[in-house]
Amino acid sequence: MVKAIVGANWGDEGKGKITDMMAKESDIIVRFQGGANAGHTIVNNYGKFALHTLPSGVFYDHTTSIIGNGVALNIPVLFEEIQSIVDKGVPMPKILVSDRAQIVMPYHVLFDQYEEERLAGKSFGSTKSGIAPFYSDKYAKIGFQVSELFDEDILKDKVERVCKVKNVMLEHLYHKPLLKEEELLDTLHEYREMVKPYVCDVSLFLHNALKEGKTVLLEGQLGSMKDPDHGIYPMVTSSSTLAAYGAIGAGVPPYAIQQIVTVCKAYSSAVGAGAFVSEIFGEEADELRRRGGDGGEFGATTGRPRRMGWFDCVASKYGCRIQGTTDVAFTVLDVLGYLDEIPVCTAYEYNGEVIKEFPVTSKLEKCKPVLTTLPGWKCDIRGIRKYEELPENCRKYIEFIEQEIGYPITMVSNGPGRDDIIYRKSSLGGTVEE
Ligand code: GDP
């Protein structure tokens, strides 16, 4: 069976921790979209890791980790990451790379930087990892597929085409050094040698694994708000962040995905530009940022301070709906233990009207939060393993949010570690049981 682990919000919800935890009972973990532009932070018995490309299941020796065809594959970054975990004592993971994955080229990273420079103040807050230029080229059909590394004629022909197109822009739009065909070919040959041992027909591998009754996890990057179709366009990422895309970006039948665990953080944070209705500022935001996550809310890839806000029921309800949620994993709840009262955004005010359904971006930018305040629980809830043992106000916070979003919270995460999890029976159903 296939399970997807995806984000309800803007990313950084703690998907890495939930994937690492669920990987214990799984055979195969697949990354199906995105690239090295965002990171997952994982804390386990080997230490603390920031993964950018590898799936969050690489820490077990019984799992196979797969880079699916939907991923923006930066080959040197992947290999540095493998080396860095092996250097910290993690056994060499079993890794497969889809023969249909496409490759992030050095010029994608450069174009990302050049475009941000050109847009100056009007940029989209790119992490400059080449993701947007990569996906643009994929759909413009001038991307390099891993399989093409093994066909010299295709490579030569495409390198020539790419240089022709890119050099016009480099010369006339960006005024930067031009690409050289030989250099690009050399790079592609290096990549071929690096990736060769791992290349696999992944959809066939998964087809056979599923026939044998194996459990497959699809690990999403970022969250619903960053989806190019259903998110806050244009302040979105360049590949779909939705569980449905897992079928495409890994190569499994859509109906094989039986469980969709949507990870939802107990407060909000976002990186990059874009409307963020429940955002808070000043000392209130600084304190939550300092205490948030595991060691503060700063980007795992970029170190950028994240924008902070109260829990947004409107955005999260929508985020869960668009994912097709069967279960909500409610994370980082322990962080809120310092607050006397906890504001929650339950609706938006748009043009004097109160709305509960998440609007399109042009309207979203004009929305103001409608806040309700719930009492805090004023204690440390880390270490608690039974739902009934949580303080009453903490349970009330969870149950209030569950009612507002309308999806079952079957897991509550109260710490960054693998074991910091409380399973819960929800009156709304759900498929995850302890
Ligand atoms: P991801 O991209 O969705 O995997 O999220 P990140 O890894 O960027 O951010 C989640 C951060 O919160 C990481 O530093 C995790 O170690 C941490 N984390 C995850 N779950 C919990 C939790 O329940 N409590 C606390 N305090 N930290 C958590």
Side-chain angles (χ1 to χ4, degrees):
M1 96 136 150
V2 182
K3 305 174 183 184
I5 299 166
V6 288
N9 311 120
W10 295 262
D12 308 315
E13 299 93 348
K15 295 176 295 296
K17 177 239 161 100
I18 300 294
T19 308
D20 176 62
M21 193 188 90
M22 288 180 63
K24 193 170 171 209
E25 309 292 333
S26 309
D27 303 292
I28 299 164
I29 299 93
V30 192
R31 281 279 316 266
F32 62 87
Q33 44 91 216
N37 52 331
H40 297 298
T41 313
I42 293 161
V43 183
N44 57 31
N45 43 340
Y46 292 107
K48 184 172 176 175
F49 298 88
L51 297 183
H52 306 290
T53 298
L54 286 171
S56 305
V58 286
F59 300 102
Y60 297 97
D61 48 17
H62 69 276
T63 56
T64 301
S65 300
I66 296 187
I67 309 295
N69 56 277
V71 170
L73 171 65
N74 187 318
I75 293 178
V77 169
L78 171 69
F79 284 87
E80 276 166 33
E81 204 165 301
I82 295 172
Q83 196 53 48
S84 75
I85 65 163
V86 172
D87 286 348
K88 282 196 186 167
V90 179
M92 179 63 192
K94 284 194 267 326
I95 291 169
L96 299 174
V97 173
S98 169
D99 53 3
R100 291 175 185 272
Q102 294 205 10
I103 302 166
V104 177
M105 296 296 291
Y107 56 80
H108 289 136
V109 179
L110 292 174
F111 272 91
D112 217 347
Q113 288 165 7
Y114 300 159
E115 184 63 8
E116 286 282 299
E117 272 171 44
R118 193 180 71 86
L119 291 172
K122 292 191 167 156
S123 79
F124 295 102
S126 163
T127 59
K128 305 186 193 71
S129 327
I131 302 302
F134 163 89
Y135 280 108
S136 306
D137 281 1
K138 175 172 174 176
Y139 294 107
K141 296 178 272 288
I142 51 168
F144 290 96
Q145 202 177 68
V146 166
S147 65
E148 294 173 347
L149 292 173
F150 304 92
D151 188 316
E152 204 57 25
D153 292 338
I154 292 183
L155 280 191
K156 283 205 176 110
D157 184 55
K158 208 177 254 177
V159 161
E160 199 186 311
R161 272 201 290 149
V162 165
C163 286
K164 222 176 244 160
V165 177
K166 300 290 172 197
N167 283 344
V168 173
M169 291 182 48
L170 286 169
E171 187 174 350
H172 299 290
L173 183 64
Y174 298 120
H175 312 294
K176 298 284 184 185
L178 304 190
L179 299 179
K180 297 194 183 76
E181 288 184 23
E182 289 86 274
E183 274 178 26
L184 271 192
L185 262 180
D186 288 346
T187 303
L188 288 160
H189 292 155
E190 279 170 34
Y191 288 178
R192 178 174 63 205
E193 294 317 302
M194 291 167 92
V195 82
K196 208 181 203 165
Y198 307 100
V199 178
C200 170
D201 180 345
V202 162
S203 71
L204 181 62
F205 179 86
L206 292 174
H207 174 78
N208 290 330
L210 290 175
K211 266 207 310 215
E212 288 167 21
K214 297 273 196 308
T215 299
V216 177
L217 292 187
L218 304 177
E219 181 182 18
Q221 184 210 37
L222 297 168
S224 302
M225 298 298 135
K226 295 285 184 179
D227 184 73
D229 285 82
H230 294 281
I232 51 170
Y233 187 86
M235 304 301 180
V236 293
T237 192
S238 305
S239 64
S240 174
T241 56
L242 303 184
Y245 189 74
I248 297 161
V252 294
Y255 54 77
I257 308 175
Q258 290 174 13
Q259 193 175 72
I260 298 174
V261 175
T262 303
V263 185
C264 211
K265 192 151 72 174
Y267 53 90
S268 302
S269 74
V271 286
F276 181 9
V277 178
S278 67
E279 186 166 11
I280 53 175
F281 303 92
E283 181 46 38
E284 194 178 40
D286 288 343
E287 176 149 38
L288 184 55
R289 183 180 304 111
R290 241 189 345 264
R291 292 172 177 267
D294 177 36
E297 290 282 359
F298 299 92
T301 302
T302 58
R304 288 192 290 192
R306 292 175 181 151
R307 297 163 69 192
M308 306 303 296
W310 301 124
F311 188 85
D312 184 335
C313 299
V314 182
S316 301
K317 177 173 76 169
Y318 174 74
C320 286
R321 170 161 69 80
I322 224 72
Q323 290 289 7
T325 304
T326 62
D327 296 86
V328 173
F330 196 56
T331 57
V332 209
L333 186 60
D334 49 301
V335 160
L336 300 182
Y338 73 97
L339 291 159
D340 294 321
E341 290 184 320
I342 313 176
V344 175
C345 173
T346 53
Y348 296 163
E349 196 189 305
Y350 173 72
N351 266 351
E353 188 194 340
V354 172
I355 57 172
K356 293 258 253 191
E357 297 299 338
F358 194 72
V360 293
T361 312
S362 53
K363 282 189 178 173
L364 186 68
E365 277 157 1
K366 300 191 187 87
C367 288
K368 303 257 176 312
V370 176
L371 298 172
T372 301
T373 303
L374 300 185
W377 47 92
K378 296 294 286 178
C379 68
D380 185 3
I381 59 164
R382 281 205 197 184
I384 294 177
R385 295 287 173 266
K386 289 207 175 76
Y387 188 69
E388 312 77 65
E389 287 169 16
L390 286 172
E392 190 185 358
N393 283 349
C394 182
R395 281 183 275 126
K396 281 192 173 151
Y397 185 76
I398 297 166
E399 287 156 26
F400 178 83
I401 281 171
E402 182 180 69
Q403 284 306 316
E404 287 289 317
I405 63 177
Y407 290 90
I409 297 178
T410 55
M411 286 179 271
V412 175
S413 173
N414 60 339
R418 257 181 202 170
D419 303 324
D420 295 321
I421 197 81
I422 300 168
Y423 293 92
R424 164 172 187 269
K425 225 179 164 51
S426 164
S427 57
L428 300 180
T431 58
V432 171
E433 283 168 22
E434 191 169 3

